[in-house]
Amino acid sequence: MGERRKVLMSAYACEPGRGSEPEVGWRWATEMARYHDVTVVTRANNRSVIEAALASMPPPHPGFLYYDPPAPWVRWKGRGVPVSVFYALWQWGVRRKVAPMLGGFDLVHHVTFNSFRQPGYWWQRQPPVVLGPLGGGQICPWAFLPGFRSRLIPELFRSLTVLSAPWWPQLHFSFRSAAVILVANADTARRIPARYRSKVRTLLETGVTPEQVLPLRPVRRDGPVRVLWVSRMEKIKGGTLAVAAFARARRSEPRLRLSMVGDGPDAGAVKAAAVRLGVASAIEWHGRVPRDQLPFLFQSHDVFLFTSLRDTSGNALLEAMAAGLPAVTLLHHGQAEIATDETAIRVAPRDPESAANDLAGALVTLARDPGRRQRMSEAARERVIRFYVWPRKAEVMNRIYQEAWDAGAAAGGSGCAKG
């Protein structure tokens, strides 16, 4: 396994069992603790959940440092201070808290939040710094923005910050100091200023556990063809696009059925679209379901529909592939890199009308071709096993750490705190 070294990991979001970024922070911490002596600095309000989980896990465990800004800032966050402002304050405070300890570590690894616009304040050469995997470089296709309605201005503002970020001085400090800059997708890689791109490596920020890789089941050849959509219902997830595509597909293939799993601020609009398009009775609405029920849903459906209009990766798509579901997706952002033409039919998101038509055509194609569904099912599961299970990803990250140490040594620093 090699020499164990001391790694300081910055993971604002780090909680087991939560999904999304908290789960990403937790998985990187626990997986890399198998290779090195990892100390994670995270939010103080994560402490009880983390310590309960550690008590039931076999060693080796990561160690944890807990930090929150002064109490007034925590209260102000609960009263509407933007998360990005609070997070920047947290990162600055963490940097000051651990500054006296940095000489005791061999490497600093910034993990979460994974936005390339806020990679922390690790502006030192030694110990070497690994950033990421960073995401957030995606922009919702402009043609879809009019459908955002009340969310149009926030989404437009976010898009403008993504476009302007490469000129922010603090990002140049971070990228100049980093030994390696990991990015989760090609969109984010393009946002890294050209002078730092020699440091850029691509690695998806998330993964699945070996337990989430499910046995393949025989493809159903008769009866209804069941399509599954899983996401939080908000504008960027494209719920109304999914319903529009399903409605058009049903005109050609009435055997299709759709299950929509998730809840959120856009749920009313999605359900209203289903009523307007005359397909509400062909849709099963599950609302939000516990994570331990998702494997059953994956295995009881035939096709996975993923319509996110802006996403660093797409955890639900990855989990569906691990369960052997062939997919219909948009050909952009993280989903374009997770899925391939062997595992999904991928549709260019040119505009809402053409995307709905093309997604509908893809659903009809898969509904009528069980042999293709079988081949895609096998390829999807194999791709996850090869690239996206957490132990495999940890092997890759360990090689990235070694690259950072080698770069630090070549730059003339020891990059090592023996203990």
Side-chain angles (χ1 to χ4, degrees), residues 225 227 245-256 303 328 345 357-370 372-373:
V225 177
V227 179
F246 173 69
R248 297 177 193 205
R250 281 264 302 174
R251 296 172 195 163
S252 301
E253 187 49 78
R255 293 186 304 141
L256 284 164
V303 177
V328 172
I345 298 179
N357 284 333
D358 292 345
L359 291 168
L363 291 173
V364 171
T365 296
L366 290 184
R368 294 176 176 174
D369 193 344
R372 186 172 181 180
R373 297 205 308 269

Side-chain angles (χ1 to χ4, degrees), residues 109-191:
H109 182 188
H110 169 86
V111 175
T112 62
F113 285 148
N114 79 337
S115 171
F116 85 102
R117 292 168 293 167
Q118 292 184 287
Y121 299 101
W122 308 105
W123 297 345
Q124 80 283 333
R125 298 283 186 168
Q126 295 298 333
V129 177
V130 172
L131 298 178
L134 304 175
Q138 320 77 233
I139 290 177
C140 178
W142 301 109
F144 289 82
L145 286 179
F148 277 51
R149 298 186 178 179
S150 64
R151 293 298 304 165
L152 173 60
I153 298 303
E155 188 65 22
L156 184 60
F157 177 77
R158 181 201 171 274
S159 297
L160 293 176
T161 66
V162 169
L163 293 173
S164 65
W167 287 273
W168 298 355
Q170 68 270 29
L171 291 192
H172 285 263
F173 295 151
S174 293
F175 298 149
R176 184 176 62 214
S177 299
V180 178
I181 304 169
L182 293 170
V183 296
N185 56 43
D187 298 270
T188 303
R190 285 192 290 269
R191 309 299 174 195

Side-chain angles (χ1 to χ4, degrees), residues 217 220 226-228 259 297-303 325:
R217 54 172 177 72
R220 284 186 286 266
R226 303 189 66 193
V227 179
L228 179 64
S259 297
L297 287 168
F298 289 137
Q299 292 205 301
S300 61
H301 286 77
D302 304 292
V303 177
L325 271 183

Side-chain angles (χ1 to χ4, degrees), residues 87-98:
Y87 174 62
L89 181 71
W90 185 87
Q91 282 285 1
W92 186 258
V94 161
R95 182 64 174 80
R96 294 185 63 187
K97 178 183 176 70
V98 304

Side-chain angles (χ1 to χ4, degrees), residues 259-405:
S259 297
M260 298 201 79
V261 177
D263 202 355
D266 203 37
V270 174
K271 292 178 180 179
V275 172
R276 184 175 67 254
L277 295 169
V279 292
S281 62
I283 300 177
E284 187 173 352
W285 306 94
H286 290 265
R288 186 176 180 180
V289 303
R291 288 180 60 79
D292 61 5
Q293 292 182 18
L294 287 177
F296 169 76
L297 287 168
F298 289 137
Q299 292 205 301
S300 61
H301 286 77
D302 304 292
V303 177
F304 189 73
L305 178 60
F306 191 75
T307 56
S308 184
L309 299 172
R310 172 172 60 77
D311 223 318
T312 291
S313 52
N315 283 1
L317 174 60
L318 202 59
E319 292 174 20
M321 290 171 59
L325 271 183
V328 172
T329 76
L330 297 176
L331 185 59
H332 73 163
H333 303 169
Q335 56 199 284
E337 301 182 33
I338 293 174
T340 66
D341 290 336
E342 289 70 39
T343 70
I345 298 179
R346 303 183 295 169
V347 169
R350 293 184 295 272
D351 58 76
E353 183 72 14
S354 64
N357 284 333
D358 292 345
L359 291 168
L363 291 173
V364 171
T365 296
L366 290 184
R368 294 176 176 174
D369 193 344
R372 186 172 181 180
R373 297 205 308 269
Q374 180 73 56
R375 294 190 296 274
M376 283 185 166
S377 173
E378 295 168 357
R381 186 174 180 273
E382 178 58 32
R383 181 166 173 79
V384 168
I385 292 171
R386 185 177 179 188
F387 295 110
Y388 299 128
V389 289
W390 278 111
R392 182 64 58 87
K393 292 176 67 67
E395 292 175 6
V396 175
M397 186 64 80
N398 194 43
R399 293 197 292 270
I400 295 293
Y401 282 7
Q402 187 60 55
E403 181 180 347
W405 285 316

